[in-house]
Amino acid sequence: MVADARQYCALPSPFPMKRGGALHGARVAYETWGTLNAARDNAILVLTGLSPSAHMMSCAADPSPGWWEGMAGPGKAIDSSRWFVICVNSLGSDKGSTCPASANPATGEPYRLDFPELSLEDVANAAHVVVRSLDIERLACLVGCSMGGMAALAYMLLHPGTVRTHISVDTAPQAQPFAIAIRSLQREAIRLDPQWANGGYDIHGAGEHYPDMGMSIARKLGVITYRSAMEWNGRFARIRLDAEQREEQQPFGFEFQVESYLEGHARRFVRSFDPNSYLYLSRASDWFDTAEYGGGNVMEGMKRIRVERALVIGVSTDILFPLEQQEQIAEGLEAAGAAVDFVALDSPQGHDAFLVDIENYSRAIAGFLAKL
Amino acid sequence: MVADARQYCALPSPFPMKRGGALHGARVAYETWGTLNAARDNAILVLTGLSPSAHMMSCAADPSPGWWEGMAGPGKAIDSSRWFVICVNSLGSDKGSTCPASANPATGEPYRLDFPELSLEDVANAAHVVVRSLDIERLACLVGCSMGGMAALAYMLLHPGTVRTHISVDTAPQAQPFAIAIRSLQREAIRLDPQWANGGYDIHGAGEHYPDMGMSIARKLGVITYRSAMEWNGRFARIRLDAEQREEQQPFGFEFQVESYLEGHARRFVRSFDPNSYLYLSRASDWFDTAEYGGGNVMEGMKRIRVERALVIGVSTDILFPLEQQEQIAEGLEAAGAAVDFVALDSPQGHDAFLVDIENYSRAIAGFLAKL
C-alpha cells in the first residue's frame, strides 16, 4: 500500500461556485503536522502552487519527501513542533480533492468539462471550510505560494478576521498579460492535442488516449518560465548531451543538456496531473484580480485585507510573477494597515526559487514567524 | 502579377555546407536599393532575422512596405540615396532562396529533411557570394539583426577584410540555454504535430496536410519571447475581448485581448513560412557559437573579427537576446581593435524593438553611418 497521510474534509453540499453552478458531495484533501494548542491559535495554513499536492512535508504516515520538505518540519522555518501546520490540496486539483476527473454524482461519470467554472475564490472558500472543520477561528498565519498566493489574497478578502498574519511568496495581486499569454499557450497546447478530445481522454493516465503531447509542451513551457536564463547560463551553458543520451534517428532531436532537462521534467509530469484539472486551475489563475474587490483598482482591493503583519517575498529573476507585483502586494497590505516586511531576493532560480533557494526563503520566513 | 523586386544569385555548385554535404544548383534571393558608386565602396549588406524576406523596404518594382520600412529608404537612417543597400534572404529560408521546400536536383522532389544540415556560417557564406557577384570587395557596413546578427559575426569571421564597419542589432555571440530551450520547444511543437509527418506535409501551405497546430504554437511562443511583459501591461492589461470576438462554444477559448493578439500573429504566419525551413533555421541559431573560433572562448573568437568601427545596439527588455550578450559583443569587438559605440535602449517592446521603436534605433544607426 502506498503511504498516504491525507485527510478529507467534506464541503457543504451544494457548494456554490463563484462563477455559477455548485458542487454536490465535494471534498478537499489536506494534511496536517504538529499539534493544535488548547487556544486553537497556533495554526498555519499553506496554499500551494498549481501542481503540488497537500503533502508539503514528510510525516510518520507518509515518509516520502514533501514538496516543501526543506522549509517545513520540526525545527525548520515553518516549525511543526511549534505550529499546527495545514496544507490543503486545491479544489479542482486531482491530488485528492474534487476535480474534473472526479465522478459527478449526478451521472456517476467523471465531470470532465461539466465541472463548473473554477475560480481561486472557490479554492480559497474550500480551504476555509477545512479550517472551520478543525474548529479554528483564526489562523496564526496564512501562507500562499505562487497560485496559492493569489488564493490566499482571495481567502483574506472573502473571510475577513480569520487571518492574523500573512506570508506572500512569489505571487500576484492580479494576473498580468505576460502570465496570461504563457498560460493561454499552455492550455492551447493541450486543447489542440487531438488526444485531449474535448476533455474525453482516458482519465488517470491509464489508457492510450491521453494528451501526452499537449501536456508535455505545457509543462516544458511552464518549466522555462519557472526558472531563469541566468540560472541556466551557469547550469547548462552550451553543454551537449553524450552521444548515448541523444534521441537516435530523430530529426531535430535533443542535442543540448537543457533540452533533456526539460524532457525529464515533462516526462515526470505528463501522466501525473489530470489535463482537465490543469486547464481549470490555469484559467482560474488568469481570472484572479484583486481589483474586483476595489471597484476596478488593485490598491483599493488590497486595502480591504485585514491582517496584523505580513511578510512579502519575491525574487528579481521571476519572469512569471515579477518583483513589481510583489512590491504591489507589499504596498497594498501596508496601505491596508498591516506591518509589512518586504524581502526581495536575487536567487538565480526564478519563480521556482521558493522551492530551491531554501536557505534564503527559510531565513525570511523563520525570522517573520519568530516575531509572532 | 504580384510585385516582386527580387534578384537571384546562383551559388557555386557544389556549395559545400559547414556541417557536411553540399547543395547543387542553389541560389539566394536578394534585393538592392540605391546605386553602387564607381569605387564600389558604398555598399551596406543587411542580414535578417529568422523569418523576414529580402524585401526590407519598398521600391518601384515592389511598392509594398518592407520589413524595415521605417529604417531604410531615401533620407532614412539607412539612406538609399547615399548607400547601395543589399538585403539577402537567408539560405534555407523559403522567401526565394534555396531551402528544404526547394526541389532537390538529384530527385526533382522537394528536399524536405534531405536538405543538408544548415548553419549560420552557410547563411553567411551564401550572402558573401551575393556581395562578390556584385563585384564588391569590401562592404562599407554589414548590418545584422537578431539571427542575422549572428550570421553577420560568422560573415566577418569567415571573410576577414571584407567588412569595414559593423552594426550589431539585438543578437548574440552564441546561443544561450534559455534561447535554446525556447527554440527547442518551438521545434518540438512542430515535430509533435502529426501533420508535420516527418517533414512530409503538403509543401507551400496549399494542401490540407499541414502542421498548422505546431506552427501556431511555435509562432505564439516566438511572439511571447519577442515582446516584453512591460509593453503588454500597458498595451493589453486585463482587457477582455468583446463578446462577438470570443470563440463561441470553445471550451477554454480566448477571453483576453492578449490571447487574440497572439492568435492574429499566428494566423498571419502559419501558412506563410515553410515549417521545415523554420526547423532548419531555428536549429542553426542554436548551433551558433563564436567560441568555436576562439578555442572554446567567446572573447577569443570575437577578437578575431577585423572591422574599423562598430555600433552595438541592444534593449534592456529583450529576454531572448539579453543586454548582457550585446555588452559581450561590444567588448569583444573592442578587444579586437574596433572603435565601438554601444547603445543600450530601454524600449518597452523587447527583442522586437528594432522593428518597432524606429525612432531610437534610427537615431543610433543614422548617427553611426553619418560618421563614416
Side-chain angles (χ1 to χ4, degrees):
Chain A
M1 203 190 112
V2 175
D4 194 341
R6 283 178 293 190
Q7 303 172 64
Y8 296 92
C9 172
L11 300 182
S13 189
F15 180 77
M17 302 288 273
K18 180 194 177 199
R19 297 176 62 97
L23 293 173
H24 295 265
R27 67 178 193 180
V28 289
Y30 66 100
E31 294 191 25
T32 69
W33 302 263
T35 309
L36 188 60
N37 63 15
R40 311 187 89 78
D41 66 0
N42 71 329
I44 292 181
L45 170 66
V46 178
L47 300 179
T48 79
L50 191 150
S51 58
S53 71
H55 192 57
M56 184 173 100
M57 51 179 143
S58 56
C59 57
D62 182 355
S64 66
W67 61 265
W68 223 4
E69 188 70 25
M71 179 63 70
K76 294 187 182 162
I78 300 178
D79 186 347
S80 53
S81 58
R82 175 179 177 202
W83 305 103
F84 177 64
V85 183
I86 312 159
C87 183
V88 170
N89 179 233
S90 302
L91 182 67
S93 160
D94 71 343
K95 305 291 175 244
S97 296
T98 298
C99 71
S102 306
N104 179 350
T107 64
E109 295 295 314
Y111 281 105
R112 302 183 188 271
L113 304 194
D114 290 333
F115 199 79
E117 289 188 342
L118 179 74
S119 71
L120 296 185
E121 281 83 348
D122 304 318
V123 172
N125 284 336
H128 181 249
V129 171
V130 176
V131 173
R132 290 296 304 136
S133 77
L134 296 167
D135 216 5
I136 296 163
E137 289 277 350
R138 196 163 174 242
L139 293 166
C141 188
L142 172 60
V143 182
C145 310
S146 189
M147 186 194 85
M150 298 194 281
L153 294 175
Y155 190 109
M156 295 184 289
L157 284 162
L158 296 169
H159 304 284
T162 65
V163 177
R164 195 178 142 215
T165 72
H166 174 47
I167 298 178
S168 170
V169 181
D170 298 4
T171 189
Q174 65 177 185
Q176 284 186 338
F178 180 82
I180 292 173
I182 293 286
R183 286 191 290 255
S184 175
L185 190 51
Q186 290 174 311
R187 291 193 297 271
E188 204 171 356
I190 298 168
R191 289 162 55 203
L192 291 178
D193 186 331
Q195 294 286 351
W196 178 58
N198 240 19
Y201 56 88
D202 294 337
I203 295 270
H204 303 311
E208 73 185 288
H209 300 293
Y210 198 86
D212 295 286
M213 171 182 70
M215 287 295 283
S216 176
I217 290 173
R219 182 56 171 177
K220 289 184 181 189
L221 182 52
V223 173
I224 289 173
T225 55
Y226 297 158
R227 311 298 291 209
S228 89
M230 187 209 287
E231 180 200 25
W232 287 0
N233 286 340
R235 183 165 172 184
F236 301 115
R238 291 179 53 77
I239 300 170
R240 302 305 214 273
L241 293 169
D242 299 334
E244 66 269 22
Q245 294 174 296
R246 296 199 189 181
E247 301 168 286
E248 287 305 321
Q249 311 297 344
Q250 190 78 302
F252 305 100
F254 303 139
E255 174 172 340
F256 293 92
Q257 276 199 354
V258 67
E259 297 180 279
S260 111
Y261 163 82
L262 290 175
E263 180 67 12
H265 267 283
R267 289 198 182 173
R268 288 191 293 278
F269 186 74
V270 163
R271 294 244 173 176
S272 75
F273 202 92
D274 175 54
N276 290 335
S277 300
Y278 188 91
L279 292 168
Y280 273 86
L281 287 163
S282 166
R283 192 159 64 164
S285 299
D286 288 357
W287 281 330
F288 184 70
D289 188 0
T290 52
E292 284 179 19
Y293 300 87
N297 182 292
V298 168
M299 276 300 137
E300 292 304 314
M302 292 292 300
K303 268 197 216 163
R304 294 186 48 204
I305 292 174
R306 291 284 165 273
V307 289
E308 292 173 13
R309 308 184 57 90
L311 167 65
V312 179
I313 319 181
V315 55
S316 59
T317 54
D318 189 340
I319 58 173
L320 205 55
F321 295 88
L323 204 51
E324 301 84 72
Q325 292 202 291
Q326 317 316 316
E327 288 164 359
Q328 227 180 345
I329 293 171
E331 281 169 30
L333 292 171
E334 202 147 51
V340 178
D341 296 342
F342 180 61
V343 175
L345 297 172
D346 283 320
S347 323
Q349 298 93 354
H351 180 64
D352 266 0
F354 74 100
L355 299 170
V356 185
D357 184 6
I358 294 295
E359 187 185 339
N360 283 302
Y361 279 77
S362 269
R363 186 179 304 125
I365 290 174
F368 179 79
L369 292 176
K371 289 190 287 191
L372 301 190
Chain B
M1 199 190 117
V2 175
D4 195 342
R6 282 179 294 191
Q7 302 172 66
Y8 296 91
C9 173
L11 299 181
S13 188
F15 180 78
M17 302 287 275
K18 180 193 176 197
R19 296 176 63 97
L23 293 173
H24 295 264
R27 67 177 194 181
V28 288
Y30 66 100
E31 295 191 26
T32 70
W33 302 263
T35 309
L36 188 60
N37 64 15
R40 312 188 88 78
D41 67 359
N42 71 329
I44 293 181
L45 171 66
V46 178
L47 300 179
T48 79
L50 191 150
S51 57
S53 71
H55 191 56
M56 184 173 100
M57 52 178 141
S58 56
C59 57
D62 182 355
S64 67
W67 61 265
W68 223 5
E69 188 70 24
M71 179 63 71
K76 293 185 180 163
I78 300 178
D79 187 347
S80 54
S81 58
R82 177 180 176 200
W83 305 103
F84 177 63
V85 183
I86 312 159
C87 183
V88 170
N89 181 233
S90 303
L91 181 67
S93 160
D94 70 344
K95 305 293 176 240
S97 296
T98 298
C99 71
S102 306
N104 179 350
T107 64
E109 296 295 315
Y111 280 105
R112 302 181 188 274
L113 304 193
D114 289 333
F115 199 78
E117 289 189 341
L118 179 74
S119 71
L120 295 185
E121 282 83 349
D122 304 317
V123 172
N125 285 335
H128 182 250
V129 171
V130 175
V131 173
R132 291 297 304 137
S133 77
L134 297 166
D135 216 5
I136 296 163
E137 289 278 349
R138 195 164 176 239
L139 292 166
C141 188
L142 172 60
V143 183
C145 311
S146 189
M147 186 193 85
M150 298 194 281
L153 294 174
Y155 190 109
M156 296 183 289
L157 285 162
L158 296 170
H159 304 285
T162 66
V163 177
R164 195 178 141 216
T165 72
H166 173 48
I167 298 178
S168 169
V169 181
D170 298 4
T171 189
Q174 65 177 183
Q176 284 185 337
F178 180 82
I180 292 173
I182 293 284
R183 285 191 290 255
S184 175
L185 190 52
Q186 291 173 310
R187 291 193 297 272
E188 203 170 358
I190 298 168
R191 291 162 55 202
L192 292 178
D193 186 330
Q195 294 287 349
W196 178 58
N198 240 23
Y201 55 87
D202 295 336
I203 294 269
H204 303 312
E208 75 184 285
H209 300 293
Y210 197 85
D212 295 287
M213 172 181 72
M215 286 295 281
S216 177
I217 290 172
R219 181 58 170 175
K220 289 184 181 188
L221 182 51
V223 174
I224 289 173
T225 55
Y226 297 158
R227 310 298 292 209
S228 88
M230 187 208 290
E231 181 200 25
W232 287 1
N233 286 341
R235 184 168 172 183
F236 300 115
R238 291 180 51 78
I239 300 171
R240 303 306 216 270
L241 293 169
D242 298 333
E244 66 269 22
Q245 294 174 294
R246 297 199 188 179
E247 301 168 288
E248 288 305 323
Q249 311 297 343
Q250 190 79 301
F252 305 99
F254 304 139
E255 175 173 338
F256 292 91
Q257 276 199 355
V258 68
E259 297 180 280
S260 111
Y261 162 82
L262 291 175
E263 179 67 11
H265 268 283
R267 289 198 181 172
R268 288 191 293 279
F269 186 74
V270 163
R271 294 247 173 175
S272 75
F273 202 93
D274 175 55
N276 289 335
S277 300
Y278 188 90
L279 293 168
Y280 273 86
L281 286 162
S282 166
R283 193 161 61 163
S285 298
D286 287 357
W287 281 331
F288 184 69
D289 188 0
T290 52
E292 284 180 19
Y293 300 87
N297 183 291
V298 167
M299 276 299 137
E300 293 303 315
M302 292 292 301
K303 269 198 216 164
R304 294 188 45 205
I305 292 175
R306 290 285 166 271
V307 289
E308 292 173 13
R309 308 183 57 88
L311 167 65
V312 179
I313 318 180
V315 55
S316 58
T317 54
D318 190 339
I319 58 173
L320 206 55
F321 295 88
L323 205 51
E324 301 84 70
Q325 292 201 291
Q326 318 314 316
E327 288 164 358
Q328 226 180 347
I329 292 171
E331 282 168 29
L333 292 172
E334 202 147 51
V340 177
D341 296 342
F342 179 63
V343 176
L345 297 172
D346 283 322
S347 322
Q349 298 91 356
H351 180 63
D352 266 1
F354 74 100
L355 299 170
V356 185
D357 184 7
I358 294 295
E359 186 184 339
N360 282 304
Y361 280 76
S362 271
R363 185 180 304 126
I365 290 174
F368 179 79
L369 292 176
K371 289 189 284 189
L372 301 191

